[in-house]
């Protein structure tokens, strides 16, 4: 019995992740090719999602920068006019943003 167990243990091979599989449990070439194709499709989908996320982040960053540029330009214009006209200039710039 011990010899049979020892022989069975030595016929196993170590695969990825320290999994033990017997030689009869190996995948066929067609199954491996199918699995590779599925994984490639998943990688393409993940890459597309990643690119879309980056585009969204860039658009939000650009929007924030433009918003602060409007605020800065409003302060610049308010500083170049007399005090009595400041409210009018700031209102005009608020309408531009909206």
């Amino acid at each position: 019995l011990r010899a049979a167990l020892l022989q069975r243990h030595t016929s196993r091979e170590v695969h990825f992740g320290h999994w033990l599989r017997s030689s009869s449990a190996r995948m066929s070439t067609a199954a491996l090719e199918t699995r590779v194709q599925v994984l490639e499709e998943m990688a393409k989908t993940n890459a597309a999602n990643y690119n879309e996320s980056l585009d969204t982040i860039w658009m939000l960053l650009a929007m924030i920068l433009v918003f602060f540029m409007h605020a800065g330009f409003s302060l610049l214009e308010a500083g170049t006019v007399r005090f009595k006209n400041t409210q009018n200039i700031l209102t005009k710039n608020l309408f531009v943003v909206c």
Side-chain angles (χ1 to χ4, degrees):
L1 180 64
R2 182 176 175 161
L5 288 174
L6 185 60
Q7 182 183 10
R8 184 174 168 202
H9 181 66
T10 57
S11 67
R12 293 183 178 181
E13 297 176 3
V14 177
H15 290 280
F16 299 121
H18 303 292
W19 293 35
L20 297 175
R21 292 186 180 168
S22 65
S23 58
S24 63
R26 289 187 183 165
M27 295 180 125
S28 67
T29 305
L32 286 174
E33 288 176 359
T34 304
R35 194 169 186 185
V36 167
Q37 288 175 353
V38 168
L39 290 173
E40 286 175 349
E41 290 175 11
M42 289 175 58
K44 288 178 185 176
T45 304
N46 287 340
N49 290 339
Y50 181 72
N51 289 337
E52 185 176 345
S53 298
L54 286 178
D55 289 344
T56 303
I57 290 169
W58 176 250
M59 289 298 293
L60 288 172
L61 179 66
M63 178 189 70
I64 291 169
L65 289 173
V66 168
F67 183 76
F68 280 114
M69 286 189 322
H70 275 287
F73 191 67
S74 295
L75 293 176
L76 175 71
E77 284 186 325
T80 59
V81 296
R82 294 179 66 183
F83 181 73
K84 65 179 186 172
N85 298 327
T86 302
Q87 185 176 4
N88 186 27
I89 293 295
L90 292 177
T91 305
K92 285 182 183 178
N93 285 321
L94 181 65
F95 285 136
V96 168
V97 171
C98 295

